[in-house]
Amino acid sequence: MVAVAILAAGRGTRMKSDLPKVLHELGGRTLVQRVLESCVPLHPCRRLVIVGYGADLVRNSLQQTDAITNGNNHQPTLEFVEQKQQLGTGHAIQQLLPTLKDFTGDLLVLNGDVPLLRPDTLEQLINIHKEHGNAATLLAAHLPKPTGYGRVFCDSQNLVKQIVEDRDCTDAQRKNHRINAGVYCFHWPKLAEILPQLKADNDQQEYYLTDTVHLLDQVMAVDVDDYREILGINSRQHLANAYHVLQDWVKTNWMAAGVTMIDPDSITIDDTVQLEPDVILEPQTHLRGNTIIQTGSRIGPGSLIENSQIGKNVTIQFSVVSDSLIADETRIGPYAHLRGHANVGQGCRIGNFVELKNTQVGTSTNIAHLSYLGDATLGDKVNIGAGTITANYDGVKKHRTTIGDRTKTGSNSVLVAPLTLGTDVTVAAGSIVTDDVPDDSLVIARERQVIKPGWRLQSE
Ligand code: UD1
Ligand code: CA
């Protein structure tokens, strides 16, 4: 039985931000959300979050994101415990004493600002903790640049004798590069017994959770294999470094799985994205959120795809696609913008300077140049002429346009919604169509051309 507690009450002064540190985003998800999600595979029996600075913001943000990601995970409800004054990490855990009064299991404590932890590492920590019957087990790492971290001092059995914060270290102690990751598994009843004895006799005059190691009988350190997992975020520079680490992992993983990346350093991919083998990513391509790209598709150069599903053998060049679905064999771009549920069928072409918003497109339909189609439904084999625009908004409401199979619109047509064009309709170039058009018709809705032969401008 493991309960999880996340420390998220600090302001994070070194971020120089009004936003609580744990709400800063790393690759599309907040730091604390990442920490919370790394615990999902552990099936904790309780999930506690200690909030303080910006408590309401942190609570609201976590409740929102948890409702989305927790949909099929069946995690216990989040419990928020307030630490009114931030008097240190030990003081933060003291706030759990009333809530966990009758709890007899282990408590996994995580810093809300250590966002790259892998669930396997946490599982391993808990297993070692149980095997050895430790009072506490903590994650440690050997860092090339340990500045800012607490240093861990152990005996030959890996039992922790002392943790000294960087600022409290002597020069000799600072030479120890073995650091405390801020991830601990405690036997809760033992911790609860000694928590009230913590003292704030250090440089910051705070109650340090790390001082509990003096008071517990058997505390063991476990080293992580890849120290990058436990990097803590205290500044914008750390945030940028962590992003770099994350990108490195994500890209290495997808390349090993059969994705080609041309100039990987210029590409960014959220760790929520799914790719199939033989996807090709060209330079300056950015894939975000819940995006899925199927085999044979070539994305970029210069494209942004967010929360979208892209089928097989699709090409997308210099374009932005958000919240949309693109079926197999479709070609997008250059310079197209698809957003707000633009669902495009198989074998279509969406070309230069075309914007689609909340528009459904059938199969083998072409919208090749300079169009805006909003709130529209198009059938199969439709051809939209250059410059066709749906006038979907009357200043108050949005209205739909429906265009039947094989219908063709001439260049510079304006389709004034609500409007239905039947199947096999032809719209003459330059028309402003305001009334529905039945199947198999030609519609011409413009002034006739007038020619006055022999007419010349009279000079004064
Ligand atoms: C802490 C550890 C340090 C370790 C490092 C790893 C202590 C005393 N030090 O230092 O040994 O190497 O993490 O990243 O624990 N928080 C609260 N309430 C408070 C103070 C902090 O909830 O009163 C939260 C913060 O929001 C943050 C976490 O605890 O998420 C860590 O606090 P921070 O001040 O960043 O500790 P470090 O100095 O990094
Ligand atoms: Ca920190």
Side-chain angles (χ1 to χ4, degrees):
M1 238 205 329
V2 176
V4 166
I6 299 176
L7 298 172
R11 173 174 186 165
T13 324
R14 288 166 281 178
M15 294 298 278
K16 309 259 164 66
S17 174
D18 284 342
L19 193 67
K21 174 167 69 177
V22 295
L23 291 189
H24 281 261
E25 278 190 14
L26 174 64
R29 285 182 288 150
T30 65
L31 301 181
V32 66
Q33 185 188 358
R34 282 184 174 276
V35 175
L36 199 59
E37 283 172 17
S38 65
C39 302
V40 168
L42 308 174
H43 305 291
C45 58
R46 293 180 66 176
R47 296 190 302 161
L48 302 139
V49 184
I50 298 152
V51 291
Y53 179 80
D56 287 342
L57 285 176
V58 176
R59 192 182 294 121
N60 292 343
S61 164
L62 274 181
Q63 275 171 340
Q64 256 176 30
T65 52
D66 194 59
I68 299 165
T69 48
N70 196 12
N72 7 347
N73 288 332
H74 307 296
Q75 299 283 309
T77 326
L78 286 174
E79 299 172 61
F80 292 92
V81 175
E82 196 159 340
Q83 182 194 18
K84 290 210 168 60
Q85 269 183 300
Q86 286 77 61
L87 303 179
T89 49
H91 179 256
I93 295 297
Q94 284 174 343
Q95 311 309 305
L96 299 179
L97 285 166
T99 321
L100 291 178
K101 195 161 55 76
D102 302 316
F103 181 66
T104 55
D106 292 319
L107 181 70
L108 181 70
V109 175
L110 303 163
N111 277 3
D113 64 350
V114 180
L116 296 176
L117 278 172
R118 288 183 311 121
D120 285 356
T121 306
L122 296 177
E123 242 159 275
Q124 198 195 342
L125 179 78
I126 295 168
N127 289 342
I128 292 177
H129 176 80
K130 287 193 172 136
E131 266 166 40
H132 291 266
N134 296 331
T137 313
L138 57 90
L139 270 189
H142 293 272
L143 288 198
K145 288 187 202 152
T147 309
Y149 289 87
R151 307 298 207 280
V152 180
F153 297 88
C154 291
D155 67 10
S156 55
Q157 321 279 280
N158 252 342
L159 293 178
V160 181
K161 295 290 131 213
Q162 208 184 2
I163 300 176
V164 188
E165 289 308 298
D166 189 60
R167 60 204 307 158
D168 300 313
C169 276
T170 62
D171 287 345
Q173 285 173 321
R174 225 170 258 127
K175 292 207 173 91
N176 175 10
H177 284 210
R178 194 178 195 191
I179 64 94
N180 168 31
V183 178
Y184 322 79
C185 188
F186 288 103
H187 182 264
W188 171 254
K190 287 184 184 163
L191 179 66
E193 204 182 302
I194 56 98
L195 263 181
Q197 300 170 32
L198 286 178
K199 291 194 180 67
D201 51 0
N202 50 58
D203 186 49
Q204 294 197 96
Q205 306 201 324
E206 286 187 355
Y207 298 91
Y208 287 168
L209 183 58
T210 44
D211 285 345
T212 57
V213 306
H214 306 289
L215 305 165
L216 292 167
D217 54 8
Q218 185 171 305
V219 181
M220 192 177 278
V222 178
D223 290 316
V224 280
D225 295 337
D226 184 347
Y227 73 84
R228 296 178 300 174
E229 259 189 69
I230 57 80
L231 292 176
I233 310 294
N234 298 310
S235 65
R236 309 272 180 163
Q237 184 63 53
H238 292 159
L239 195 59
N241 295 348
Y243 187 70
H244 199 76
V245 170
L246 190 64
Q247 286 302 305
D248 190 37
W249 286 344
V250 169
K251 287 184 241 177
T252 304
N253 172 38
W254 287 123
M255 285 191 267
V259 172
T260 290
M261 293 184 205
I262 301 168
D263 190 16
D265 286 349
S266 75
I267 294 170
T268 62
I269 307 174
D270 282 356
D271 54 355
T272 41
V273 168
Q274 295 291 319
L275 303 173
E276 289 188 357
D278 290 322
V279 162
I280 299 177
L281 302 179
E282 298 246 23
Q284 299 293 353
T285 289
H286 307 284
L287 308 178
R288 295 190 187 155
N290 295 317
T291 288
I292 301 175
I293 301 178
Q294 290 185 284
T295 187
S297 287
R298 188 174 195 111
I299 315 295
S303 295
L304 169 63
I305 319 287
E306 288 179 311
N307 300 317
S308 294
Q309 244 169 286
I310 313 294
K312 301 188 176 86
N313 305 319
V314 170
T315 61
I316 302 181
Q317 287 184 329
F318 294 105
S319 292
V320 176
V321 178
S322 323
D323 307 310
S324 294
L325 302 176
I326 313 295
D328 302 350
E329 325 285 342
T330 282
R331 287 182 295 150
I332 312 266
Y335 312 111
H337 184 193
L338 282 67
R339 62 187 177 98
H341 307 287
N343 299 344
V344 180
Q346 196 172 341
C348 292
R349 186 157 124 63
I350 312 297
N352 315 253
F353 306 104
V354 170
E355 179 180 357
L356 300 183
K357 191 258 327 186
N358 186 23
T359 284
Q360 289 74 54
V361 179
T363 59
S364 308
T365 283
N366 289 342
I367 311 166
H369 335 262
L370 302 163
S371 280
Y372 169 65
L373 300 183
D375 306 305
T377 305
L378 281 69
D380 302 340
K381 298 189 177 152
V382 171
N383 192 73
I384 298 293
T388 298
I389 304 287
T390 52
N392 59 325
Y393 186 48
D394 59 13
V396 182
K397 271 189 174 166
K398 305 271 170 74
H399 300 280
R400 283 206 82 77
T401 302
T402 305
I403 303 175
D405 297 345
R406 297 172 302 280
T407 283
K408 296 180 171 54
T409 65
S411 302
N412 253 24
S413 308
V414 179
L415 310 175
V416 183
L419 183 72
T420 300
L421 304 181
T423 58
D424 300 287
V425 164
T426 300
V427 177
S431 291
I432 299 176
V433 186
T434 52
D435 298 327
D436 290 354
V437 181
D439 300 351
D440 300 299
S441 344
L442 167 68
V443 53
I444 310 171
R446 55 166 143 89
E447 283 288 286
R448 243 175 212 291
Q449 180 169 312
V450 176
I451 296 181
K452 301 191 176 181
W455 185 93
R456 212 171 271 173
L457 189 66
Q458 302 293 311
S459 54
E460 282 178 309

